[in-house]
Amino acid sequence: MRSAGILMPITALPSPWGVGTLGRAARAFLDFLVESGQTYWQILPIGPTGYGDSPYQPFSSYGGNPYFIDLDDLARQGLLQKEEYEGLDWGSQPGRVDYSALYRQRFPVLRKAVERLWAGEEEAVREFCQKEARWLEDYALFMALKDRFDGVPWQSWPEGLRRRQPQALEEARGQLAAELKFWKGLQFLFFAQWDSLKALAAEKGISIIGDLPIYVAEDSADVWAHPEQFQMDEQLRPTRVAGCPPDGFSADGQLWGNPLFDWARMEQDGYRWWMERISFQFRFYDVLRIDHFRGFDSYYAIPAGAETAKEGAWEPGPGITFFRSMERVVGQRPIIAEDLGFLTPSVQKLLEDTGYPGMKVLEFAFDSRDGGGRVYQPHNYPAHCVAYVGTHDNDTALGWLSTARPEDVALAREYLHLDPAEGENWGMMRAIWSSAAGCAIVQMQDLLGLGSEGRMNTPSTLGGNWQWRALPGFDSPALARRVRRQMELYERLPDEKGGEAV
């Protein structure tokens, strides 16, 4: 089945309250997807974000981002009064997320809602907490302790809490009982709104593609609760961290800093930690994109404390045994492998053995800084792949045309027959829609014809990332009709059953 979708982060949806949410704008975007003939809505990770605001460095692999809880929907439930949030400063630019304003304003407002939630729906909340206890207890305590110790990393907490000594944990639970109720109540609200939106998407025939970061943040409930799963020393500090080597975009490589997995230890129990993590993601998503797929074949290990990624070395990953275990535990589920970057024959063999579709990024076909080359040119796309003009880590189509090397842009314009009358962004999208790729995903920014001001993330940089937002009216009927016509031309309209298998 030929299909298509749009990559639109939830943060980027319009709302008067500083950031996109799971409320009215999300429901309206589902209608836009239907009207424009799409099958998929691809989003970025939805976990609770911390310092740097990156969705790829969440405090938990299981929890939802409290910023996504829609305030207007809470008001309709009677959990908030509009005057409690309408007059607050949510940031001065409606087209950008002001994360510092969100951090200051959101939680005091949400505390009022959670207090009313516990007062009115205590039985339902307790039932939720019991059902989700396996991860929720650790997460709620982690967040309560983060607040208690002014946000410092968990390795700087008192020894008993750092090492999770039972008596210290029990004392903390008693002292922070009210805070635990707050953090658990937030998750109840998030999951209630998420489940409602996901059910509406299914009703409309839209499947949600979610994104699973391969690594977790060092300062997270995941690592604090399960340090034995990672390459840590006796002081519970990473011995080596994640990143990628130098390339045409970064002379020093990328130093991500995430703790690396202890794959040998994980193999002993059939990768149970991973199996639980992946199983849970399918509660959120219909299709899962596994980030940095090549890290399962071999991963780049950088000594902790290194100033750049130049000092790293490649180490063998778990390989096909991991995915065979996953298939036994999780079953055969729709998965996309993010197989970008320097691909060795062994990575290509792993992708072939799993049977997952890989990714093709049009911008890589012409960008000599990356060296992706002809494999990313549309005439070479296999049917079993997911094609993109660019991802959240790339510039927009028009941004790329204005910043890439002149000779690369000239080649792209010649190959793609780009025409300013059509719109060069539309010519680039047309290239992947018309290709043999089974699924084609475009960024909302490219549909809107935005330049680099619409770029979501520039890897290895701090500040200015994850901030772009669409303005009200972005999902116009006229735009939906234009996109739908492209779907008709290139036979990407959904069938009557909607889509799930990529």
Side-chain angles (χ1 to χ4, degrees), residues 250-287:
S250 175
D252 291 330
Q254 296 179 29
L255 181 57
W256 302 333
N258 309 73
L260 293 168
F261 302 112
D262 185 342
W263 286 117
R265 157 71 178 76
M266 287 182 158
E267 185 179 18
Q268 292 174 9
D269 63 4
Y271 308 101
R272 180 179 175 181
W273 182 92
W274 261 103
M275 300 303 107
E276 292 176 350
R277 185 184 184 214
I278 290 177
S279 296
F280 196 88
Q281 302 308 305
F282 282 104
R283 172 172 180 177
F284 288 137
Y285 314 124
D286 301 298
V287 181

Short mmCIF file of all heavy atoms in Angstrom, two decimals, residues 250-287:
data_model
loop_
_atom_site.label_atom_id
_atom_site.label_comp_id
_atom_site.label_asym_id
_atom_site.label_seq_id
_atom_site.Cartn_x
_atom_site.Cartn_y
_atom_site.Cartn_z
N SER A 250 30.08 17.95 11.22
CA SER A 250 30.69 18.26 12.51
C SER A 250 32.10 17.70 12.57
O SER A 250 32.29 16.47 12.60
CB SER A 250 29.84 17.69 13.66
OG SER A 250 30.47 17.89 14.90
N ALA A 251 33.10 18.59 12.61
CA ALA A 251 34.49 18.16 12.62
C ALA A 251 34.85 17.43 13.91
O ALA A 251 35.78 16.60 13.94
CB ALA A 251 35.40 19.37 12.42
N ASP A 252 34.14 17.76 15.00
CA ASP A 252 34.43 17.12 16.29
C ASP A 252 33.50 15.94 16.58
O ASP A 252 33.60 15.31 17.64
CB ASP A 252 34.31 18.13 17.43
CG ASP A 252 35.40 19.18 17.40
OD1 ASP A 252 36.51 18.86 16.94
OD2 ASP A 252 35.14 20.31 17.84
N GLY A 253 32.60 15.64 15.66
CA GLY A 253 31.60 14.62 15.93
C GLY A 253 30.52 15.16 16.85
O GLY A 253 30.47 16.36 17.15
N GLN A 254 29.65 14.28 17.32
CA GLN A 254 28.57 14.67 18.22
C GLN A 254 28.73 13.95 19.55
O GLN A 254 28.79 12.71 19.59
CB GLN A 254 27.21 14.34 17.60
CG GLN A 254 26.91 15.10 16.32
CD GLN A 254 25.57 14.73 15.72
OE1 GLN A 254 24.65 14.34 16.45
NE2 GLN A 254 25.46 14.83 14.40
N LEU A 255 28.82 14.71 20.62
CA LEU A 255 28.96 14.16 21.97
C LEU A 255 27.60 14.27 22.66
O LEU A 255 27.25 15.31 23.22
CB LEU A 255 30.02 14.94 22.74
CG LEU A 255 30.34 14.49 24.16
CD1 LEU A 255 30.76 13.03 24.20
CD2 LEU A 255 31.42 15.39 24.76
N TRP A 256 26.83 13.18 22.58
CA TRP A 256 25.48 13.21 23.15
C TRP A 256 25.50 13.12 24.67
O TRP A 256 24.68 13.70 25.35
CB TRP A 256 24.64 12.08 22.57
CG TRP A 256 24.52 12.12 21.08
CD1 TRP A 256 24.60 13.23 20.28
CD2 TRP A 256 24.30 11.01 20.20
NE1 TRP A 256 24.45 12.88 18.96
CE2 TRP A 256 24.27 11.52 18.88
CE3 TRP A 256 24.14 9.64 20.39
CZ2 TRP A 256 24.08 10.71 17.77
CZ3 TRP A 256 23.95 8.83 19.29
CH2 TRP A 256 23.91 9.36 18.00
N GLY A 257 26.41 12.31 25.20
CA GLY A 257 26.58 12.21 26.64
C GLY A 257 25.70 11.20 27.35
O GLY A 257 25.82 11.03 28.56
N ASN A 258 24.83 10.50 26.63
CA ASN A 258 23.96 9.50 27.29
C ASN A 258 24.79 8.31 27.77
O ASN A 258 25.73 7.89 27.11
CB ASN A 258 22.92 8.98 26.31
CG ASN A 258 22.16 10.08 25.62
OD1 ASN A 258 22.70 10.74 24.75
ND2 ASN A 258 20.90 10.27 25.98
N PRO A 259 24.42 7.73 28.91
CA PRO A 259 25.10 6.50 29.33
C PRO A 259 24.83 5.37 28.35
O PRO A 259 23.72 5.27 27.79
CB PRO A 259 24.50 6.21 30.70
CG PRO A 259 23.20 6.94 30.73
CD PRO A 259 23.37 8.14 29.86
N LEU A 260 25.81 4.53 28.13
CA LEU A 260 25.68 3.41 27.21
C LEU A 260 25.14 2.19 27.92
O LEU A 260 25.32 2.00 29.12
CB LEU A 260 27.04 3.09 26.58
CG LEU A 260 27.59 4.19 25.66
CD1 LEU A 260 29.06 3.92 25.34
CD2 LEU A 260 26.78 4.29 24.38
N PHE A 261 24.47 1.34 27.17
CA PHE A 261 23.89 0.13 27.74
C PHE A 261 24.97 -0.92 28.00
O PHE A 261 25.95 -1.03 27.26
CB PHE A 261 22.84 -0.46 26.79
CG PHE A 261 21.72 0.49 26.48
CD1 PHE A 261 21.56 1.02 25.21
CD2 PHE A 261 20.83 0.87 27.47
CE1 PHE A 261 20.53 1.90 24.93
CE2 PHE A 261 19.79 1.75 27.20
CZ PHE A 261 19.65 2.27 25.93
N ASP A 262 24.75 -1.69 29.04
CA ASP A 262 25.60 -2.87 29.30
C ASP A 262 24.93 -4.04 28.58
O ASP A 262 24.16 -4.80 29.16
CB ASP A 262 25.68 -3.12 30.81
CG ASP A 262 26.65 -4.25 31.15
OD1 ASP A 262 26.99 -5.05 30.24
OD2 ASP A 262 27.05 -4.34 32.33
N TRP A 263 25.23 -4.18 27.28
CA TRP A 263 24.54 -5.16 26.45
C TRP A 263 24.76 -6.59 26.94
O TRP A 263 23.85 -7.43 26.84
CB TRP A 263 24.97 -5.02 25.00
CG TRP A 263 24.41 -3.82 24.30
CD1 TRP A 263 25.11 -2.77 23.77
CD2 TRP A 263 23.02 -3.54 24.02
NE1 TRP A 263 24.25 -1.86 23.19
CE2 TRP A 263 22.97 -2.31 23.33
CE3 TRP A 263 21.84 -4.20 24.30
CZ2 TRP A 263 21.78 -1.73 22.91
CZ3 TRP A 263 20.65 -3.63 23.88
CH2 TRP A 263 20.61 -2.42 23.19
N ALA A 264 25.95 -6.89 27.47
CA ALA A 264 26.21 -8.25 27.96
C ALA A 264 25.30 -8.56 29.14
O ALA A 264 24.75 -9.67 29.25
CB ALA A 264 27.68 -8.39 28.35
N ARG A 265 25.16 -7.61 30.04
CA ARG A 265 24.27 -7.79 31.19
C ARG A 265 22.82 -7.93 30.72
O ARG A 265 22.06 -8.76 31.21
CB ARG A 265 24.42 -6.59 32.13
CG ARG A 265 23.26 -6.31 33.07
CD ARG A 265 23.14 -7.36 34.17
NE ARG A 265 22.04 -7.05 35.07
CZ ARG A 265 20.75 -7.22 34.81
NH1 ARG A 265 20.37 -7.70 33.64
NH2 ARG A 265 19.84 -6.94 35.73
N MET A 266 22.43 -7.12 29.76
CA MET A 266 21.05 -7.16 29.27
C MET A 266 20.72 -8.49 28.60
O MET A 266 19.59 -8.99 28.72
CB MET A 266 20.81 -6.01 28.30
CG MET A 266 20.73 -4.64 28.96
SD MET A 266 20.39 -3.33 27.75
CE MET A 266 19.69 -2.06 28.81
N GLU A 267 21.66 -9.06 27.92
CA GLU A 267 21.41 -10.32 27.21
C GLU A 267 21.07 -11.45 28.17
O GLU A 267 20.32 -12.37 27.83
CB GLU A 267 22.64 -10.69 26.37
CG GLU A 267 22.42 -11.90 25.49
CD GLU A 267 23.64 -12.25 24.66
OE1 GLU A 267 24.75 -11.78 24.98
OE2 GLU A 267 23.48 -13.01 23.68
N GLN A 268 21.58 -11.37 29.40
CA GLN A 268 21.40 -12.46 30.36
C GLN A 268 19.94 -12.69 30.71
O GLN A 268 19.54 -13.82 31.02
CB GLN A 268 22.20 -12.16 31.63
CG GLN A 268 23.71 -12.19 31.41
CD GLN A 268 24.49 -11.76 32.65
OE1 GLN A 268 23.91 -11.57 33.74
NE2 GLN A 268 25.79 -11.59 32.51
N ASP A 269 19.13 -11.63 30.69
CA ASP A 269 17.70 -11.82 31.00
C ASP A 269 16.82 -11.57 29.79
O ASP A 269 15.64 -11.21 29.92
CB ASP A 269 17.27 -10.95 32.19
CG ASP A 269 17.39 -9.45 31.92
OD1 ASP A 269 17.74 -9.08 30.78
OD2 ASP A 269 17.14 -8.65 32.84
N GLY A 270 17.41 -11.77 28.60
CA GLY A 270 16.63 -11.63 27.38
C GLY A 270 16.25 -10.20 27.07
O GLY A 270 15.21 -9.95 26.47
N TYR A 271 17.10 -9.25 27.51
CA TYR A 271 16.87 -7.82 27.25
C TYR A 271 15.53 -7.36 27.84
O TYR A 271 14.81 -6.56 27.26
CB TYR A 271 16.90 -7.51 25.75
CG TYR A 271 18.13 -8.02 25.04
CD1 TYR A 271 18.10 -9.20 24.30
CD2 TYR A 271 19.34 -7.34 25.13
CE1 TYR A 271 19.24 -9.67 23.66
CE2 TYR A 271 20.48 -7.80 24.49
CZ TYR A 271 20.42 -8.97 23.76
OH TYR A 271 21.55 -9.44 23.13
N ARG A 272 15.24 -7.83 29.02
CA ARG A 272 13.93 -7.56 29.62
C ARG A 272 13.64 -6.06 29.75
O ARG A 272 12.52 -5.62 29.47
CB ARG A 272 13.86 -8.22 31.01
CG ARG A 272 12.52 -7.98 31.71
CD ARG A 272 12.48 -8.68 33.06
NE ARG A 272 11.26 -8.35 33.77
CZ ARG A 272 10.96 -8.81 34.99
NH1 ARG A 272 11.81 -9.64 35.60
NH2 ARG A 272 9.85 -8.46 35.57
N TRP A 273 14.64 -5.28 30.18
CA TRP A 273 14.44 -3.83 30.32
C TRP A 273 13.99 -3.23 29.01
O TRP A 273 13.06 -2.43 28.97
CB TRP A 273 15.76 -3.19 30.80
CG TRP A 273 15.71 -1.72 31.03
CD1 TRP A 273 15.42 -1.07 32.21
CD2 TRP A 273 15.94 -0.67 30.06
NE1 TRP A 273 15.47 0.29 32.03
CE2 TRP A 273 15.79 0.57 30.73
CE3 TRP A 273 16.26 -0.67 28.71
CZ2 TRP A 273 15.96 1.80 30.08
CZ3 TRP A 273 16.42 0.56 28.06
CH2 TRP A 273 16.27 1.76 28.74
N TRP A 274 14.62 -3.63 27.92
CA TRP A 274 14.27 -3.13 26.60
C TRP A 274 12.90 -3.63 26.15
O TRP A 274 12.13 -2.89 25.55
CB TRP A 274 15.32 -3.56 25.58
CG TRP A 274 16.32 -2.51 25.27
CD1 TRP A 274 17.61 -2.43 25.72
CD2 TRP A 274 16.14 -1.38 24.42
NE1 TRP A 274 18.23 -1.32 25.21
CE2 TRP A 274 17.36 -0.65 24.40
CE3 TRP A 274 15.07 -0.89 23.67
CZ2 TRP A 274 17.53 0.52 23.67
CZ3 TRP A 274 15.23 0.27 22.93
CH2 TRP A 274 16.45 0.97 22.94
N MET A 275 12.62 -4.89 26.42
CA MET A 275 11.33 -5.44 25.99
C MET A 275 10.16 -4.71 26.64
O MET A 275 9.15 -4.41 26.00
CB MET A 275 11.25 -6.94 26.32
CG MET A 275 12.33 -7.80 25.65
SD MET A 275 12.37 -7.68 23.84
CE MET A 275 13.86 -6.70 23.58
N GLU A 276 10.32 -4.39 27.93
CA GLU A 276 9.27 -3.65 28.62
C GLU A 276 9.14 -2.24 28.05
O GLU A 276 8.03 -1.72 27.88
CB GLU A 276 9.58 -3.60 30.12
CG GLU A 276 9.46 -4.96 30.80
CD GLU A 276 9.86 -4.91 32.26
OE1 GLU A 276 10.41 -3.87 32.71
OE2 GLU A 276 9.61 -5.90 32.97
N ARG A 277 10.26 -1.63 27.75
CA ARG A 277 10.26 -0.27 27.21
C ARG A 277 9.57 -0.22 25.84
O ARG A 277 8.73 0.65 25.60
CB ARG A 277 11.71 0.23 27.11
CG ARG A 277 11.86 1.68 26.67
CD ARG A 277 13.32 2.04 26.49
NE ARG A 277 13.48 3.45 26.16
CZ ARG A 277 14.42 3.92 25.37
NH1 ARG A 277 15.30 3.09 24.82
NH2 ARG A 277 14.52 5.21 25.11
N ILE A 278 9.90 -1.15 24.97
CA ILE A 278 9.31 -1.15 23.63
C ILE A 278 7.84 -1.53 23.69
O ILE A 278 7.00 -0.92 23.01
CB ILE A 278 10.09 -2.09 22.69
CG1 ILE A 278 11.47 -1.48 22.39
CG2 ILE A 278 9.33 -2.33 21.39
CD1 ILE A 278 12.36 -2.35 21.53
N SER A 279 7.50 -2.51 24.49
CA SER A 279 6.09 -2.90 24.63
C SER A 279 5.24 -1.72 25.04
O SER A 279 4.12 -1.51 24.53
CB SER A 279 5.94 -4.03 25.65
OG SER A 279 6.58 -5.20 25.22
N PHE A 280 5.76 -0.92 25.96
CA PHE A 280 5.00 0.21 26.46
C PHE A 280 4.78 1.26 25.38
O PHE A 280 3.74 1.92 25.36
CB PHE A 280 5.72 0.85 27.65
CG PHE A 280 4.86 1.78 28.46
CD1 PHE A 280 4.08 1.29 29.49
CD2 PHE A 280 4.82 3.14 28.19
CE1 PHE A 280 3.27 2.14 30.24
CE2 PHE A 280 4.03 3.99 28.92
CZ PHE A 280 3.24 3.50 29.94
N GLN A 281 5.75 1.42 24.47
CA GLN A 281 5.61 2.43 23.43
C GLN A 281 4.41 2.17 22.53
O GLN A 281 3.81 3.11 21.99
CB GLN A 281 6.88 2.50 22.58
CG GLN A 281 8.15 2.82 23.35
CD GLN A 281 8.03 4.06 24.23
OE1 GLN A 281 7.69 5.14 23.75
NE2 GLN A 281 8.29 3.89 25.52
N PHE A 282 4.06 0.91 22.36
CA PHE A 282 2.91 0.60 21.51
C PHE A 282 1.58 0.88 22.22
O PHE A 282 0.52 0.76 21.62
CB PHE A 282 2.99 -0.83 21.00
CG PHE A 282 3.96 -0.97 19.86
CD1 PHE A 282 5.21 -1.53 20.05
CD2 PHE A 282 3.63 -0.50 18.60
CE1 PHE A 282 6.10 -1.62 19.00
CE2 PHE A 282 4.52 -0.59 17.54
CZ PHE A 282 5.77 -1.16 17.74
N ARG A 283 1.66 1.28 23.46
CA ARG A 283 0.47 1.85 24.10
C ARG A 283 0.25 3.26 23.56
O ARG A 283 -0.89 3.71 23.42
CB ARG A 283 0.64 1.88 25.62
CG ARG A 283 -0.48 2.63 26.30
CD ARG A 283 -0.42 2.50 27.80
NE ARG A 283 -1.53 3.23 28.43
CZ ARG A 283 -1.75 3.25 29.73
NH1 ARG A 283 -0.96 2.55 30.53
NH2 ARG A 283 -2.74 3.93 30.23
N PHE A 284 1.33 3.95 23.27
CA PHE A 284 1.24 5.31 22.73
C PHE A 284 1.00 5.34 21.23
O PHE A 284 0.21 6.13 20.73
CB PHE A 284 2.54 6.07 23.01
CG PHE A 284 2.77 6.46 24.43
CD1 PHE A 284 4.02 6.33 25.01
CD2 PHE A 284 1.75 7.00 25.21
CE1 PHE A 284 4.26 6.71 26.32
CE2 PHE A 284 1.97 7.38 26.53
CZ PHE A 284 3.24 7.23 27.09
N TYR A 285 1.73 4.50 20.49
CA TYR A 285 1.83 4.66 19.04
C TYR A 285 1.31 3.44 18.29
O TYR A 285 1.30 2.32 18.81
CB TYR A 285 3.29 4.88 18.64
CG TYR A 285 4.03 5.90 19.48
CD1 TYR A 285 5.21 5.57 20.14
CD2 TYR A 285 3.53 7.19 19.63
CE1 TYR A 285 5.89 6.50 20.91
CE2 TYR A 285 4.20 8.13 20.40
CZ TYR A 285 5.38 7.78 21.04
OH TYR A 285 6.05 8.70 21.81
N ASP A 286 0.96 3.68 17.03
CA ASP A 286 0.59 2.58 16.13
C ASP A 286 1.81 2.03 15.41
O ASP A 286 1.89 0.84 15.12
CB ASP A 286 -0.43 3.08 15.09
CG ASP A 286 -1.68 3.63 15.75
OD1 ASP A 286 -2.37 2.85 16.42
OD2 ASP A 286 -1.96 4.83 15.59
N VAL A 287 2.74 2.92 15.08
CA VAL A 287 3.98 2.57 14.39
C VAL A 287 5.12 3.19 15.18
O VAL A 287 5.00 4.32 15.67
CB VAL A 287 4.00 3.11 12.94
CG1 VAL A 287 5.30 2.72 12.23
CG2 VAL A 287 2.79 2.61 12.16
#
